[in-house]
Amino acid sequence: MRKIMLFAAALFIAGAMTSCLRGDDLEMFRHPIHVTGTVNPQYGIPVASGELNINDLLSSFSSDYSGMITDDEIITVTYDTSLSDTIRALSNVSFKNSRKIKPRIDQAKEMWLTKDTTLMDTIDIDFFNDVDYAGQIDIDHIWLTLKVGAYGKGARDFIGNNVRARFLDLQISYEDHNGVLRNFGGMPSAYAEINNIFDGFNKHFDSVDIADIVNDMPRRIITAYTFRFQVSSSLMTSNIMSMPYAQILDSIQMTELIYSADLHISLPLSVEFHNMKYNFPVDLGDGLSSVNLDSIVASISSDINFDIDSARFRLTLLNGIPLTLSLTATMQDAYGNNLIRLFNNKTIAAAELAPNPSNPSQWEAASEKETIIEAPLSAVDIDNLKNAKTLMITFKVDSQSKHVCIRRSDSLKLKGFLILSPSLGVDIPVTNNGIL
């Protein structure tokens, strides 16, 4: 149909011109006619897209990220661990019909025999695992909550107040980003006493703020405290420090001693970042390997020759997170090898900010902001596109000296395009024998 229309147009033009052309001018209409020329179109081929919510971004801090995201409006990362143990007497039998040992009544000579045990609780913090230590981060609060408890079972009437326990000397330490063990010196005095072991006891050390350690990017937080078990000398006179617990319980007619500890870490993400760095991989799937320039041009016409004058990779980002990002990106093959270097420290604008209504000293995202960046591709780069499987992005995060609140609804949207500008040479035959 296209050739018929061209042929009809050529006949019309020829008819209109024959009356005013000399004979030798008509010679050109007796030869084959071709439509020729060059054009320079531009093609935008989408090859990657995605939307990153805050959990995706937090997960990118570490491939082993295990923190929990709470349902609070302001994103809060939490970690929990618990420790418990039950010690049983050697006999492990009921003391209901056991022999009765009458405690001595001379209170003046009474002493307390002591057995100290150090209990340790450890919680791994993987939030910072893949973060470059050269970065800086300030968090308003890192809350540590510790709950400890102990109680006993056995011949309650016999033992009475002659067995007691204490929790004391609570200490907090942590491993910094390089694995160096450090002490946290800001722990308040912590002491708890159980005057009657059968009454039991639970002590909460609530919301101790350990935010001072954040710039060391801790990998692990350790709590250590002394559990002091005490028996009145009116029950026994042996040195119990070197005795196993099971033997002690057997001697004082206790069947069990149970103690426990629960450790909770909470990081509400009202933070100030200073060029903190982390990696984020974007799966390209088959987006680039499916780009076949020959088939694209052939689908237009078999009579077109083309050369790629220029090619670019364009990344469009809609940032709804209240953080400025500095982006570096490379394309990698299936084995993680770098194929194409695209961007180096390109600035991605933060979302439009507004004061947090509940705390005007903090800022939050008010609306998304768009940033478009492009990188030229060489002939070698274009040839390597078919092997690219991952767009590896490295972000440096900065809050521009502001404390910002990151909400569950905040997200970063991105789209990647391959922009091609080929030079097309058109040579389409209209007739093979001329039109006259």
Side-chain angles (χ1 to χ4, degrees):
M1 176 63 72
R2 180 173 56 188
K3 290 186 177 182
I4 292 173
M5 295 298 295
L6 289 171
F7 181 69
L11 285 177
F12 175 79
I13 295 170
M17 295 180 63
T18 51
S19 60
C20 58
L21 292 176
R22 299 190 306 273
D24 54 347
D25 292 329
L26 296 176
E27 181 65 23
M28 63 180 178
F29 291 105
R30 297 187 178 94
H31 298 281
I33 297 176
H34 291 240
V35 176
T36 62
T38 58
V39 293
N40 298 93
Q42 179 172 286
Y43 297 95
I45 305 170
V47 294
S49 65
E51 179 175 346
L52 313 177
N53 60 34
I54 189 63
N55 190 55
D56 295 324
L57 292 177
L58 291 179
S59 299
S60 70
F61 277 94
S62 170
S63 57
D64 300 321
Y65 172 73
S66 62
M68 300 294 292
I69 305 298
T70 68
D71 291 330
D72 302 289
E73 180 183 5
I74 302 303
I75 292 297
T76 301
V77 182
T78 64
Y79 296 86
D80 294 276
T81 189
S82 60
L83 168 71
S84 64
D85 195 13
T86 298
I87 302 171
R88 294 179 172 84
L90 286 174
S91 57
N92 198 25
V93 296
S94 171
F95 292 112
K96 181 177 179 180
N97 300 315
S98 62
R99 61 189 179 91
K100 303 298 183 183
I101 303 176
K102 185 178 180 180
R104 292 192 298 272
I105 302 176
D106 189 356
Q107 299 292 328
K109 296 182 178 180
E110 184 181 40
M111 296 178 59
W112 288 98
L113 307 175
T114 297
K115 182 176 180 63
D116 285 350
T117 304
T118 299
L119 304 180
M120 299 187 68
D121 214 352
T122 300
I123 193 165
D124 291 328
I125 307 294
D126 53 18
F127 185 83
F128 306 105
N129 275 13
D130 291 340
V131 178
D132 189 334
Y133 183 72
Q136 292 289 316
I137 176 174
D138 291 331
I139 296 181
D140 274 351
H141 304 287
I142 301 179
W143 299 112
L144 179 148
T145 298
L146 176 66
K147 180 178 73 174
V148 295
Y151 67 96
K153 295 180 180 180
R156 181 186 184 105
D157 293 339
F158 162 64
I159 296 175
N161 293 326
N162 293 290
V163 176
R164 66 187 186 188
R166 296 178 177 180
F167 290 101
L168 64 159
D169 299 334
L170 176 61
Q171 297 181 359
I172 298 175
S173 57
Y174 62 96
E175 287 186 13
D176 67 14
H177 202 67
N178 294 320
V180 177
L181 185 64
R182 299 179 181 274
N183 291 321
F184 173 72
M187 186 65 199
S189 177
Y191 177 83
E193 186 165 351
I194 308 171
N195 290 319
N196 188 317
I197 194 65
F198 297 106
D199 292 338
F201 188 83
N202 283 293
K203 172 68 176 178
H204 287 242
F205 303 103
D206 289 325
S207 301
V208 178
D209 194 356
I210 58 172
D212 290 347
I213 73 176
V214 69
N215 280 330
D216 287 334
M217 298 185 181
R219 296 185 183 274
R220 186 171 289 107
I221 295 175
I222 305 108
T223 59
Y225 50 94
T226 299
F227 176 65
R228 178 165 292 173
F229 186 75
Q230 293 184 306
V231 178
S232 170
S233 58
S234 63
L235 286 184
M236 60 187 300
T237 58
S238 303
N239 180 7
I240 66 172
M241 179 57 75
S242 59
M243 294 174 61
Y245 267 109
Q247 183 180 348
I248 298 172
L249 300 185
D250 213 25
S251 300
I252 62 175
Q253 297 191 11
M254 281 183 64
T255 56
E256 293 179 346
L257 173 64
I258 300 101
Y259 60 86
S260 63
D262 297 308
L263 182 59
H264 174 84
I265 301 292
S266 175
L267 291 81
L269 290 190
S270 168
V271 297
E272 182 177 348
F273 294 107
H274 307 284
N275 288 323
M276 191 179 68
K277 179 181 176 181
Y278 65 92
N279 296 325
F280 184 78
V282 178
D283 185 7
L284 295 174
D286 295 326
L288 288 172
S289 61
S290 63
V291 176
N292 187 319
L293 302 182
D294 293 317
S295 64
I296 292 174
V297 175
S299 67
I300 302 172
S301 174
S302 60
D303 300 304
I304 295 177
N305 297 316
F306 74 96
D307 292 306
I308 299 297
D309 286 345
S310 65
R312 315 185 298 282
F313 183 80
R314 175 183 295 170
L315 197 60
T316 301
L317 303 102
L318 282 177
N319 192 2
I321 299 173
L323 299 171
T324 299
L325 309 175
S326 177
L327 181 148
T328 298
T330 59
M331 287 186 182
Q332 296 181 341
D333 64 16
Y335 304 100
N337 301 310
N338 290 336
L339 294 176
I340 305 170
R341 298 187 180 276
L342 295 172
F343 306 110
N344 185 34
N345 292 329
K346 292 289 186 179
T347 299
I348 311 303
E352 297 287 351
L353 301 182
N356 179 4
S358 61
N359 186 347
S361 67
Q362 300 172 348
W363 297 81
E364 62 183 20
S367 61
E368 296 176 328
K369 184 175 286 187
E370 183 181 63
T371 301
I372 298 175
I373 55 177
E374 291 187 347
L377 300 176
S378 68
V380 174
D381 294 335
I382 295 171
D383 188 56
N384 282 331
L385 288 176
K386 60 181 178 295
N387 296 318
K389 297 297 183 183
T390 302
L391 178 64
M392 180 57 72
I393 298 176
T394 298
F395 286 123
K396 288 183 181 178
V397 181
D398 199 298
S399 62
Q400 303 297 307
S401 300
K402 296 182 176 68
H403 270 88
V404 295
C405 297
I406 304 177
R407 299 168 299 184
R408 298 179 67 83
S409 57
D410 295 340
S411 64
L412 173 70
K413 304 181 183 73
L414 61 86
K415 291 184 178 179
F417 299 89
L418 183 61
I419 308 298
L420 300 175
S421 298
S423 175
L424 303 181
V426 180
D427 186 2
I428 301 176
V430 177
T431 68
N432 294 321
N433 299 311
I435 59 176
L436 291 180

